[in-house]
PDB file of all heavy atoms in Angstrom:
ATOM      1  N   LEU A  30      -4.264 116.177 231.992  1.00 94.00           N
ATOM      2  CA  LEU A  30      -5.129 117.277 231.540  1.00 94.00           C
ATOM      3  C   LEU A  30      -5.439 117.129 230.077  1.00 94.00           C
ATOM      4  O   LEU A  30      -6.578 117.317 229.637  1.00 94.00           O
ATOM      5  CB  LEU A  30      -4.525 118.658 231.853  1.00 94.00           C
ATOM      6  CG  LEU A  30      -4.488 118.997 233.293  1.00 94.00           C
ATOM      7  CD1 LEU A  30      -3.565 120.246 233.559  1.00 94.00           C
ATOM      8  CD2 LEU A  30      -5.885 119.263 233.872  1.00 94.00           C
ATOM      9  N   SER A  31      -4.428 116.781 229.275  1.00 88.00           N
ATOM     10  CA  SER A  31      -4.688 116.694 227.828  1.00 88.00           C
ATOM     11  C   SER A  31      -5.576 115.451 227.548  1.00 88.00           C
ATOM     12  O   SER A  31      -6.441 115.499 226.703  1.00 88.00           O
ATOM     13  CB  SER A  31      -3.427 116.689 227.002  1.00 88.00           C
ATOM     14  OG  SER A  31      -2.738 115.495 227.114  1.00 88.00           O
ATOM     15  N   GLU A  32      -5.346 114.364 228.290  1.00 84.00           N
ATOM     16  CA  GLU A  32      -6.193 113.182 228.099  1.00 84.00           C
ATOM     17  C   GLU A  32      -7.622 113.416 228.545  1.00 84.00           C
ATOM     18  O   GLU A  32      -8.539 112.819 228.013  1.00 84.00           O
ATOM     19  CB  GLU A  32      -5.624 111.981 228.836  1.00 84.00           C
ATOM     20  CG  GLU A  32      -4.423 111.418 228.167  1.00 84.00           C
ATOM     21  CD  GLU A  32      -4.174 109.983 228.474  1.00 84.00           C
ATOM     22  OE1 GLU A  32      -4.925 109.367 229.263  1.00 84.00           O
ATOM     23  OE2 GLU A  32      -3.238 109.433 227.871  1.00 84.00           O
ATOM     24  N   ALA A  33      -7.835 114.301 229.474  1.00 87.00           N
ATOM     25  CA  ALA A  33      -9.147 114.605 229.919  1.00 87.00           C
ATOM     26  C   ALA A  33      -9.877 115.509 228.891  1.00 87.00           C
ATOM     27  O   ALA A  33     -11.084 115.757 229.016  1.00 87.00           O
ATOM     28  CB  ALA A  33      -9.102 115.314 231.310  1.00 87.00           C
ATOM     29  N   GLY A  34      -9.086 115.996 227.925  1.00 83.00           N
ATOM     30  CA  GLY A  34      -9.752 116.729 226.803  1.00 83.00           C
ATOM     31  C   GLY A  34      -9.950 118.235 227.127  1.00 83.00           C
ATOM     32  O   GLY A  34     -10.625 118.868 226.342  1.00 83.00           O
ATOM     33  N   VAL A  35      -9.413 118.707 228.206  1.00 89.00           N
ATOM     34  CA  VAL A  35      -9.660 120.070 228.600  1.00 89.00           C
ATOM     35  C   VAL A  35      -8.704 121.067 227.900  1.00 89.00           C
ATOM     36  O   VAL A  35      -8.940 122.241 227.801  1.00 89.00           O
ATOM     37  CB  VAL A  35      -9.722 120.313 230.123  1.00 89.00           C
ATOM     38  CG1 VAL A  35     -10.916 119.692 230.707  1.00 89.00           C
ATOM     39  CG2 VAL A  35      -8.434 119.806 230.786  1.00 89.00           C
ATOM     40  N   CYS A  36      -7.541 120.594 227.461  1.00 89.00           N
ATOM     41  CA  CYS A  36      -6.557 121.438 226.745  1.00 89.00           C
ATOM     42  C   CYS A  36      -5.522 120.512 226.145  1.00 89.00           C
ATOM     43  O   CYS A  36      -5.484 119.331 226.411  1.00 89.00           O
ATOM     44  CB  CYS A  36      -5.906 122.390 227.699  1.00 89.00           C
ATOM     45  SG  CYS A  36      -5.121 121.644 229.148  1.00 89.00           S
ATOM     46  N   THR A  37      -4.697 121.103 225.305  1.00 87.00           N
ATOM     47  CA  THR A  37      -3.586 120.301 224.742  1.00 87.00           C
ATOM     48  C   THR A  37      -2.484 120.176 225.764  1.00 87.00           C
ATOM     49  O   THR A  37      -2.512 120.873 226.781  1.00 87.00           O
ATOM     50  CB  THR A  37      -3.025 120.999 223.505  1.00 87.00           C
ATOM     51  OG1 THR A  37      -2.484 122.249 223.899  1.00 87.00           O
ATOM     52  CG2 THR A  37      -4.030 121.196 222.407  1.00 87.00           C
ATOM     53  N   ARG A  38      -1.573 119.350 225.509  1.00 90.00           N
ATOM     54  CA  ARG A  38      -0.489 119.083 226.493  1.00 90.00           C
ATOM     55  C   ARG A  38       0.326 120.389 226.704  1.00 90.00           C
ATOM     56  O   ARG A  38       0.708 120.710 227.824  1.00 90.00           O
ATOM     57  CB  ARG A  38       0.396 117.960 225.990  1.00 90.00           C
ATOM     58  CG  ARG A  38       1.411 117.533 227.014  1.00 90.00           C
ATOM     59  CD  ARG A  38       1.277 116.078 227.252  1.00 90.00           C
ATOM     60  NE  ARG A  38       2.375 115.632 228.124  1.00 90.00           N
ATOM     61  CZ  ARG A  38       2.844 114.393 228.104  1.00 90.00           C
ATOM     62  NH1 ARG A  38       2.349 113.518 227.313  1.00 90.00           N
ATOM     63  NH2 ARG A  38       3.817 114.062 228.937  1.00 90.00           N
ATOM     64  N   SER A  39       0.636 121.109 225.605  1.00 93.00           N
ATOM     65  CA  SER A  39       1.438 122.310 225.793  1.00 93.00           C
ATOM     66  C   SER A  39       0.625 123.378 226.546  1.00 93.00           C
ATOM     67  O   SER A  39       1.250 124.084 227.355  1.00 93.00           O
ATOM     68  CB  SER A  39       2.004 122.819 224.441  1.00 93.00           C
ATOM     69  OG  SER A  39       0.925 123.144 223.606  1.00 93.00           O
ATOM     70  N   GLU A  40      -0.694 123.501 226.290  1.00 94.00           N
ATOM     71  CA  GLU A  40      -1.488 124.437 227.066  1.00 94.00           C
ATOM     72  C   GLU A  40      -1.466 124.028 228.538  1.00 94.00           C
ATOM     73  O   GLU A  40      -1.404 124.897 229.433  1.00 94.00           O
ATOM     74  CB  GLU A  40      -2.899 124.460 226.568  1.00 94.00           C
ATOM     75  CG  GLU A  40      -3.128 125.234 225.277  1.00 94.00           C
ATOM     76  CD  GLU A  40      -4.470 124.901 224.606  1.00 94.00           C
ATOM     77  OE1 GLU A  40      -5.271 124.086 225.162  1.00 94.00           O
ATOM     78  OE2 GLU A  40      -4.700 125.377 223.541  1.00 94.00           O
ATOM     79  N   ALA A  41      -1.544 122.690 228.735  1.00 96.00           N
ATOM     80  CA  ALA A  41      -1.543 122.210 230.141  1.00 96.00           C
ATOM     81  C   ALA A  41      -0.261 122.642 230.860  1.00 96.00           C
ATOM     82  O   ALA A  41      -0.356 123.162 232.006  1.00 96.00           O
ATOM     83  CB  ALA A  41      -1.663 120.700 230.139  1.00 96.00           C
ATOM     84  N   THR A  42       0.833 122.507 230.157  1.00 97.00           N
ATOM     85  CA  THR A  42       2.107 122.902 230.754  1.00 97.00           C
ATOM     86  C   THR A  42       2.048 124.386 231.184  1.00 97.00           C
ATOM     87  O   THR A  42       2.436 124.725 232.319  1.00 97.00           O
ATOM     88  CB  THR A  42       3.274 122.720 229.773  1.00 97.00           C
ATOM     89  OG1 THR A  42       3.198 121.349 229.314  1.00 97.00           O
ATOM     90  CG2 THR A  42       4.634 122.996 230.346  1.00 97.00           C
ATOM     91  N   LYS A  43       1.605 125.220 230.278  1.00 97.00           N
ATOM     92  CA  LYS A  43       1.557 126.632 230.565  1.00 97.00           C
ATOM     93  C   LYS A  43       0.605 126.975 231.754  1.00 97.00           C
ATOM     94  O   LYS A  43       0.980 127.686 232.681  1.00 97.00           O
ATOM     95  CB  LYS A  43       1.030 127.444 229.358  1.00 97.00           C
ATOM     96  CG  LYS A  43       2.071 127.587 228.269  1.00 97.00           C
ATOM     97  CD  LYS A  43       1.497 128.462 227.123  1.00 97.00           C
ATOM     98  CE  LYS A  43       2.247 128.123 225.856  1.00 97.00           C
ATOM     99  NZ  LYS A  43       1.428 128.139 224.632  1.00 97.00           N
ATOM    100  N   ARG A  44      -0.530 126.307 231.745  1.00 97.00           N
ATOM    101  CA  ARG A  44      -1.523 126.605 232.806  1.00 97.00           C
ATOM    102  C   ARG A  44      -1.088 126.127 234.138  1.00 97.00           C
ATOM    103  O   ARG A  44      -1.379 126.716 235.188  1.00 97.00           O
ATOM    104  CB  ARG A  44      -2.886 126.167 232.339  1.00 97.00           C
ATOM    105  CG  ARG A  44      -3.358 126.863 231.073  1.00 97.00           C
ATOM    106  CD  ARG A  44      -4.769 126.646 230.676  1.00 97.00           C
ATOM    107  NE  ARG A  44      -5.688 127.238 231.681  1.00 97.00           N
ATOM    108  CZ  ARG A  44      -6.987 127.223 231.511  1.00 97.00           C
ATOM    109  NH1 ARG A  44      -7.525 126.633 230.440  1.00 97.00           N
ATOM    110  NH2 ARG A  44      -7.775 127.765 232.386  1.00 97.00           N
ATOM    111  N   ILE A  45      -0.431 124.966 234.114  1.00 98.00           N
ATOM    112  CA  ILE A  45       0.120 124.463 235.413  1.00 98.00           C
ATOM    113  C   ILE A  45       1.114 125.456 235.943  1.00 98.00           C
ATOM    114  O   ILE A  45       1.097 125.806 237.131  1.00 98.00           O
ATOM    115  CB  ILE A  45       0.721 123.019 235.209  1.00 98.00           C
ATOM    116  CG1 ILE A  45      -0.343 122.012 234.801  1.00 98.00           C
ATOM    117  CG2 ILE A  45       1.450 122.594 236.497  1.00 98.00           C
ATOM    118  CD1 ILE A  45       0.210 120.698 234.211  1.00 98.00           C
ATOM    119  N   ARG A  46       2.000 125.918 235.055  1.00 97.00           N
ATOM    120  CA  ARG A  46       3.053 126.884 235.502  1.00 97.00           C
ATOM    121  C   ARG A  46       2.480 128.132 235.988  1.00 97.00           C
ATOM    122  O   ARG A  46       3.027 128.867 236.824  1.00 97.00           O
ATOM    123  CB  ARG A  46       4.046 127.119 234.369  1.00 97.00           C
ATOM    124  CG  ARG A  46       4.852 125.838 234.041  1.00 97.00           C
ATOM    125  CD  ARG A  46       6.306 126.180 233.624  1.00 97.00           C
ATOM    126  NE  ARG A  46       7.047 124.894 233.595  1.00 97.00           N
ATOM    127  CZ  ARG A  46       7.420 124.328 232.472  1.00 97.00           C
ATOM    128  NH1 ARG A  46       7.139 124.868 231.293  1.00 97.00           N
ATOM    129  NH2 ARG A  46       8.139 123.224 232.528  1.00 97.00           N
ATOM    130  N   LYS A  47       1.278 128.506 235.448  1.00 97.00           N
ATOM    131  CA  LYS A  47       0.608 129.746 235.887  1.00 97.00           C
ATOM    132  C   LYS A  47      -0.215 129.536 237.170  1.00 97.00           C
ATOM    133  O   LYS A  47      -1.074 130.374 237.467  1.00 97.00           O
ATOM    134  CB  LYS A  47      -0.324 130.265 234.763  1.00 97.00           C
ATOM    135  CG  LYS A  47       0.421 130.977 233.649  1.00 97.00           C
ATOM    136  CD  LYS A  47      -0.573 131.874 232.980  1.00 97.00           C
ATOM    137  CE  LYS A  47      -0.816 131.651 231.554  1.00 97.00           C
ATOM    138  NZ  LYS A  47      -1.979 132.095 230.929  1.00 97.00           N
ATOM    139  N   SER A  48      -0.050 128.386 237.847  1.00 97.00           N
ATOM    140  CA  SER A  48      -0.749 128.086 239.090  1.00 97.00           C
ATOM    141  C   SER A  48      -2.288 127.949 238.926  1.00 97.00           C
ATOM    142  O   SER A  48      -3.005 128.252 239.838  1.00 97.00           O
ATOM    143  CB  SER A  48      -0.471 129.155 240.162  1.00 97.00           C
ATOM    144  OG  SER A  48       0.897 129.342 240.330  1.00 97.00           O
ATOM    145  N   GLU A  49      -2.699 127.509 237.725  1.00 97.00           N
ATOM    146  CA  GLU A  49      -4.149 127.409 237.524  1.00 97.00           C
ATOM    147  C   GLU A  49      -4.674 125.976 237.824  1.00 97.00           C
ATOM    148  O   GLU A  49      -5.879 125.704 237.652  1.00 97.00           O
ATOM    149  CB  GLU A  49      -4.450 127.742 236.038  1.00 97.00           C
ATOM    150  CG  GLU A  49      -4.306 129.211 235.739  1.00 97.00           C
ATOM    151  CD  GLU A  49      -4.664 129.490 234.259  1.00 97.00           C
ATOM    152  OE1 GLU A  49      -5.552 128.857 233.722  1.00 97.00           O
ATOM    153  OE2 GLU A  49      -3.991 130.368 233.694  1.00 97.00           O
ATOM    154  N   VAL A  50      -3.756 125.111 238.288  1.00 97.00           N
ATOM    155  CA  VAL A  50      -4.182 123.695 238.472  1.00 97.00           C
ATOM    156  C   VAL A  50      -3.965 123.297 239.939  1.00 97.00           C
ATOM    157  O   VAL A  50      -2.936 123.562 240.514  1.00 97.00           O
ATOM    158  CB  VAL A  50      -3.365 122.802 237.551  1.00 97.00           C
ATOM    159  CG1 VAL A  50      -3.754 121.318 237.723  1.00 97.00           C
ATOM    160  CG2 VAL A  50      -3.618 123.176 236.079  1.00 97.00           C
ATOM    161  N   THR A  51      -5.038 122.657 240.458  1.00 97.00           N
ATOM    162  CA  THR A  51      -4.843 122.064 241.826  1.00 97.00           C
ATOM    163  C   THR A  51      -5.009 120.569 241.742  1.00 97.00           C
ATOM    164  O   THR A  51      -5.761 120.021 240.885  1.00 97.00           O
ATOM    165  CB  THR A  51      -5.893 122.613 242.827  1.00 97.00           C
ATOM    166  OG1 THR A  51      -7.216 122.178 242.427  1.00 97.00           O
ATOM    167  CG2 THR A  51      -5.884 124.114 242.946  1.00 97.00           C
ATOM    168  N   VAL A  52      -4.312 119.883 242.632  1.00 97.00           N
ATOM    169  CA  VAL A  52      -4.452 118.476 242.764  1.00 97.00           C
ATOM    170  C   VAL A  52      -4.796 118.145 244.226  1.00 97.00           C
ATOM    171  O   VAL A  52      -3.991 118.552 245.122  1.00 97.00           O
ATOM    172  CB  VAL A  52      -3.172 117.687 242.342  1.00 97.00           C
ATOM    173  CG1 VAL A  52      -3.357 116.167 242.549  1.00 97.00           C
ATOM    174  CG2 VAL A  52      -2.855 117.995 240.907  1.00 97.00           C
ATOM    175  N   ASN A  53      -5.911 117.544 244.474  1.00 96.00           N
ATOM    176  CA  ASN A  53      -6.363 117.265 245.865  1.00 96.00           C
ATOM    177  C   ASN A  53      -6.313 118.502 246.690  1.00 96.00           C
ATOM    178  O   ASN A  53      -5.794 118.489 247.847  1.00 96.00           O
ATOM    179  CB  ASN A  53      -5.571 116.102 246.464  1.00 96.00           C
ATOM    180  CG  ASN A  53      -5.678 114.853 245.642  1.00 96.00           C
ATOM    181  OD1 ASN A  53      -6.762 114.602 245.011  1.00 96.00           O
ATOM    182  ND2 ASN A  53      -4.649 114.034 245.628  1.00 96.00           N
ATOM    183  N   GLY A  54      -6.724 119.611 246.139  1.00 96.00           N
ATOM    184  CA  GLY A  54      -6.878 120.885 246.890  1.00 96.00           C
ATOM    185  C   GLY A  54      -5.645 121.737 246.952  1.00 96.00           C
ATOM    186  O   GLY A  54      -5.712 122.918 247.423  1.00 96.00           O
ATOM    187  N   ALA A  55      -4.454 121.279 246.484  1.00 97.00           N
ATOM    188  CA  ALA A  55      -3.264 122.088 246.552  1.00 97.00           C
ATOM    189  C   ALA A  55      -2.795 122.434 245.158  1.00 97.00           C
ATOM    190  O   ALA A  55      -2.834 121.655 244.230  1.00 97.00           O
ATOM    191  CB  ALA A  55      -2.161 121.288 247.247  1.00 97.00           C
ATOM    192  N   VAL A  56      -2.346 123.717 245.001  1.00 97.00           N
ATOM    193  CA  VAL A  56      -1.797 124.166 243.726  1.00 97.00           C
ATOM    194  C   VAL A  56      -0.512 123.405 243.385  1.00 97.00           C
ATOM    195  O   VAL A  56       0.351 123.225 244.280  1.00 97.00           O
ATOM    196  CB  VAL A  56      -1.534 125.682 243.771  1.00 97.00           C
ATOM    197  CG1 VAL A  56      -0.821 126.119 242.461  1.00 97.00           C
ATOM    198  CG2 VAL A  56      -2.810 126.440 243.930  1.00 97.00           C
ATOM    199  N   VAL A  57      -0.450 122.928 242.123  1.00 97.00           N
ATOM    200  CA  VAL A  57       0.753 122.217 241.690  1.00 97.00           C
ATOM    201  C   VAL A  57       1.299 122.986 240.509  1.00 97.00           C
ATOM    202  O   VAL A  57       0.571 123.351 239.610  1.00 97.00           O
ATOM    203  CB  VAL A  57       0.433 120.810 241.291  1.00 97.00           C
ATOM    204  CG1 VAL A  57       1.625 120.111 240.684  1.00 97.00           C
ATOM    205  CG2 VAL A  57      -0.086 120.010 242.465  1.00 97.00           C
ATOM    206  N   ARG A  58       2.574 123.333 240.539  1.00 97.00           N
ATOM    207  CA  ARG A  58       3.192 124.170 239.520  1.00 97.00           C
ATOM    208  C   ARG A  58       4.164 123.352 238.601  1.00 97.00           C
ATOM    209  O   ARG A  58       4.771 123.927 237.711  1.00 97.00           O
ATOM    210  CB  ARG A  58       3.919 125.333 240.100  1.00 97.00           C
ATOM    211  CG  ARG A  58       3.025 126.314 240.770  1.00 97.00           C
ATOM    212  CD  ARG A  58       3.696 127.549 241.290  1.00 97.00           C
ATOM    213  NE  ARG A  58       2.812 128.320 242.134  1.00 97.00           N
ATOM    214  CZ  ARG A  58       2.489 128.072 243.375  1.00 97.00           C
ATOM    215  NH1 ARG A  58       3.091 127.033 243.974  1.00 97.00           N
ATOM    216  NH2 ARG A  58       1.619 128.776 244.060  1.00 97.00           N
ATOM    217  N   ASP A  59       4.245 122.068 238.854  1.00 97.00           N
ATOM    218  CA  ASP A  59       5.192 121.238 238.093  1.00 97.00           C
ATOM    219  C   ASP A  59       4.402 120.295 237.135  1.00 97.00           C
ATOM    220  O   ASP A  59       3.782 119.365 237.669  1.00 97.00           O
ATOM    221  CB  ASP A  59       6.068 120.485 239.052  1.00 97.00           C
ATOM    222  CG  ASP A  59       7.044 119.561 238.362  1.00 97.00           C
ATOM    223  OD1 ASP A  59       7.051 119.540 237.135  1.00 97.00           O
ATOM    224  OD2 ASP A  59       7.821 118.911 239.074  1.00 97.00           O
ATOM    225  N   PRO A  60       4.501 120.503 235.842  1.00 97.00           N
ATOM    226  CA  PRO A  60       3.745 119.592 234.896  1.00 97.00           C
ATOM    227  C   PRO A  60       4.134 118.176 234.925  1.00 97.00           C
ATOM    228  O   PRO A  60       3.408 117.310 234.528  1.00 97.00           O
ATOM    229  CB  PRO A  60       4.038 120.214 233.511  1.00 97.00           C
ATOM    230  CG  PRO A  60       4.753 121.493 233.723  1.00 97.00           C
ATOM    231  CD  PRO A  60       5.282 121.516 235.137  1.00 97.00           C
ATOM    232  N   SER A  61       5.355 117.907 235.509  1.00 97.00           N
ATOM    233  CA  SER A  61       5.831 116.508 235.443  1.00 97.00           C
ATOM    234  C   SER A  61       5.381 115.701 236.704  1.00 97.00           C
ATOM    235  O   SER A  61       5.725 114.539 236.822  1.00 97.00           O
ATOM    236  CB  SER A  61       7.355 116.514 235.279  1.00 97.00           C
ATOM    237  OG  SER A  61       7.971 116.929 236.483  1.00 97.00           O
ATOM    238  N   VAL A  62       4.703 116.376 237.619  1.00 97.00           N
ATOM    239  CA  VAL A  62       4.278 115.661 238.824  1.00 97.00           C
ATOM    240  C   VAL A  62       3.339 114.514 238.431  1.00 97.00           C
ATOM    241  O   VAL A  62       2.520 114.626 237.549  1.00 97.00           O
ATOM    242  CB  VAL A  62       3.505 116.667 239.775  1.00 97.00           C
ATOM    243  CG1 VAL A  62       2.527 115.973 240.677  1.00 97.00           C
ATOM    244  CG2 VAL A  62       4.504 117.502 240.527  1.00 97.00           C
ATOM    245  N   HIS A  63       3.559 113.373 239.117  1.00 97.00           N
ATOM    246  CA  HIS A  63       2.725 112.200 238.778  1.00 97.00           C
ATOM    247  C   HIS A  63       1.574 112.084 239.745  1.00 97.00           C
ATOM    248  O   HIS A  63       1.652 112.324 240.957  1.00 97.00           O
ATOM    249  CB  HIS A  63       3.597 110.912 238.859  1.00 97.00           C
ATOM    250  CG  HIS A  63       4.380 110.700 237.590  1.00 97.00           C
ATOM    251  ND1 HIS A  63       5.445 111.483 237.254  1.00 97.00           N
ATOM    252  CD2 HIS A  63       4.195 109.851 236.606  1.00 97.00           C
ATOM    253  CE1 HIS A  63       5.905 111.061 236.095  1.00 97.00           C
ATOM    254  NE2 HIS A  63       5.148 110.075 235.632  1.00 97.00           N
ATOM    255  N   ILE A  64       0.380 111.817 239.135  1.00 96.00           N
ATOM    256  CA  ILE A  64      -0.837 111.647 239.959  1.00 96.00           C
ATOM    257  C   ILE A  64      -1.493 110.346 239.591  1.00 96.00           C
ATOM    258  O   ILE A  64      -1.232 109.795 238.491  1.00 96.00           O
ATOM    259  CB  ILE A  64      -1.834 112.808 239.762  1.00 96.00           C
ATOM    260  CG1 ILE A  64      -2.273 112.897 238.292  1.00 96.00           C
ATOM    261  CG2 ILE A  64      -1.228 114.136 240.175  1.00 96.00           C
ATOM    262  CD1 ILE A  64      -3.493 113.763 238.099  1.00 96.00           C
ATOM    263  N   ASP A  65      -2.346 109.859 240.482  1.00 95.00           N
ATOM    264  CA  ASP A  65      -3.117 108.635 240.109  1.00 95.00           C
ATOM    265  C   ASP A  65      -4.411 109.111 239.470  1.00 95.00           C
ATOM    266  O   ASP A  65      -5.301 109.689 240.137  1.00 95.00           O
ATOM    267  CB  ASP A  65      -3.419 107.877 241.436  1.00 95.00           C
ATOM    268  CG  ASP A  65      -4.269 106.633 241.159  1.00 95.00           C
ATOM    269  OD1 ASP A  65      -4.772 106.489 240.020  1.00 95.00           O
ATOM    270  OD2 ASP A  65      -4.375 105.814 242.132  1.00 95.00           O
ATOM    271  N   PRO A  66      -4.580 108.857 238.207  1.00 94.00           N
ATOM    272  CA  PRO A  66      -5.720 109.370 237.503  1.00 94.00           C
ATOM    273  C   PRO A  66      -7.039 108.885 237.994  1.00 94.00           C
ATOM    274  O   PRO A  66      -8.120 109.533 237.860  1.00 94.00           O
ATOM    275  CB  PRO A  66      -5.480 108.973 236.048  1.00 94.00           C
ATOM    276  CG  PRO A  66      -4.502 107.883 236.094  1.00 94.00           C
ATOM    277  CD  PRO A  66      -3.720 108.100 237.318  1.00 94.00           C
ATOM    278  N   GLU A  67      -7.029 107.668 238.555  1.00 90.00           N
ATOM    279  CA  GLU A  67      -8.269 107.075 239.030  1.00 90.00           C
ATOM    280  C   GLU A  67      -8.782 107.726 240.357  1.00 90.00           C
ATOM    281  O   GLU A  67      -9.985 107.732 240.620  1.00 90.00           O
ATOM    282  CB  GLU A  67      -8.097 105.548 239.348  1.00 90.00           C
ATOM    283  CG  GLU A  67      -7.441 104.762 238.248  1.00 90.00           C
ATOM    284  CD  GLU A  67      -8.421 104.362 237.157  1.00 90.00           C
ATOM    285  OE1 GLU A  67      -9.608 104.648 237.313  1.00 90.00           O
ATOM    286  OE2 GLU A  67      -7.960 103.831 236.120  1.00 90.00           O
TER     287      GLU A  67
END
Side-chain angles (χ1 to χ4, degrees):
L30 290 169
S31 75
E32 286 206 356
V35 290
C36 56
T37 62
R38 188 126 172 206
S39 60
E40 283 163 4
T42 305
K43 284 185 204 143
R44 298 190 68 177
I45 295 164
R46 293 215 170 106
K47 281 204 243 157
S48 308
E49 288 181 35
V50 177
T51 66
V52 178
N53 300 329
V56 172
V57 175
R58 292 184 191 82
D59 178 358
S61 70
V62 155
H63 278 72
I64 61 167
D65 179 348
E67 308 281 354

